[in-house]
Amino acid sequence: MSFTTKIFEQFDKKWALLTAGTKDKFNTMTISWGGLGTLWGKPVATVYVRQSRYTHDFMDDNDYFTISFYPEVYKKTLGILGSKSGREIDKMHESGLVAKELENAMTFEEAEVTLVCKKLFKQTLDVNNMLEDIGKQFYEGQSDHDMYIGEVVDII
Ligand SMILES: Cc1cc2nc3c(=O)[nH]c(=O)nc-3n(C[C@H](O)[C@H](O)[C@H](O)COP(=O)(O)O)c2cc1C
């Protein structure tokens, strides 16, 4: 299992799809905030999902999620998946991506890399514990972020 990347660019510049659910019922959304590292002696990925996202329901209801990265040509597709909700549109139809079933999770055929993550931890980012400026900028009038940490169990 290996994955070499410029970590400060991988999420911020390249973006990714965060996907949770099963073949029959899954959802995906674009993310650009996240991290990769080590915790509890395991390789982990961390993502931040606002409670208002439809994907949030799937993150809570499933034990695994995937983080998948795409060639530059899919940037427009990721833009669509990051601006419309699966509550309002059929994301698979609108994006044209082809869903791919893995042993415990879902990804897409077009992905160049998929991190398969086993959910280990979830916690809401408490606005009272962050710098006031950040709280004002990112959370006034907007729902909180839940942080999910997953063990990276496979890299495809
Ligand atoms: C480039 C980009 C990055 C985003 N990053 C995040 C993120 O890290 N966390 C988050 O909660 N929403 C993020 N979003 C917003 C969601 O992708 C967007 O609200 C999406 O429509 C949610 O879809 P859903 O309701 O089907 O889950 C991002 C959007 C874009 C375009």
Side-chain angles (χ1 to χ4, degrees), residues 16-19 27-31 48-49 53 55 81 91:
L17 288 180
L18 174 68
T19 309
N27 200 59
T28 190
M29 71 173 212
T30 304
I31 57 168
Y48 306 92
V49 184
R53 311 295 188 222
T55 305
L81 294 170
K91 283 193 161 177

Side-chain angles (χ1 to χ4, degrees), residues 11-12 15-16 18 27-34 47-56 75 78-88 91 145:
F11 284 98
D12 186 36
W15 308 349
L18 174 68
N27 200 59
T28 190
M29 71 173 212
T30 304
I31 57 168
S32 61
W33 292 1
V47 292
Y48 306 92
V49 184
R50 282 198 200 271
Q51 291 167 356
S52 57
R53 311 295 188 222
Y54 188 39
T55 305
H56 186 272
K75 205 75 186 248
L78 266 56
I80 296 169
L81 294 170
S83 57
K84 296 185 179 168
S85 177
R87 288 195 189 96
E88 288 133 29
K91 283 193 161 177
H145 274 109

Side-chain angles (χ1 to χ4, degrees), residues 11-147:
F11 284 98
D12 186 36
K13 300 279 187 304
K14 236 177 125 62
W15 308 349
L17 288 180
L18 174 68
T19 309
T22 58
K23 189 175 167 225
D24 296 332
K25 198 169 184 246
F26 65 91
N27 200 59
T28 190
M29 71 173 212
T30 304
I31 57 168
S32 61
W33 292 1
L36 298 171
T38 307
L39 182 66
W40 301 312
K42 301 173 192 294
V44 295
T46 304
V47 292
Y48 306 92
V49 184
R50 282 198 200 271
Q51 291 167 356
S52 57
R53 311 295 188 222
Y54 188 39
T55 305
H56 186 272
D57 297 355
F58 291 79
M59 289 295 286
D60 280 352
D61 291 348
N62 291 278
D63 295 334
Y64 288 81
F65 59 89
T66 62
I67 299 167
S68 48
F69 299 99
Y70 294 82
E72 192 63 26
V73 68
Y74 291 102
K75 205 75 186 248
K76 197 173 159 200
T77 305
L78 266 56
I80 296 169
L81 294 170
S83 57
K84 296 185 179 168
S85 177
R87 288 195 189 96
E88 288 133 29
I89 61 157
D90 175 350
K91 283 193 161 177
M92 284 306 86
H93 182 71
E94 295 268 333
S95 69
L97 293 182
V98 179
K100 181 176 172 184
E101 188 181 19
L102 305 175
E103 196 183 332
N104 293 305
M106 297 296 295
T107 186
F108 302 97
E109 297 286 352
E110 294 80 359
E112 52 189 7
V113 180
T114 296
L115 309 180
V116 181
C117 303
K118 182 181 176 194
K119 207 169 60 178
L120 298 177
F121 181 79
K122 169 194 167 180
Q123 190 161 54
T124 303
L125 299 187
D126 186 343
V127 179
N128 298 313
N129 290 340
M130 49 182 91
L131 283 180
E132 210 179 316
D133 288 2
I134 292 181
K136 280 208 174 92
Q137 185 181 348
F138 292 102
Y139 299 100
E140 261 183 12
Q142 295 196 72
S143 69
D144 288 337
H145 274 109
D146 280 346
M147 172 178 70

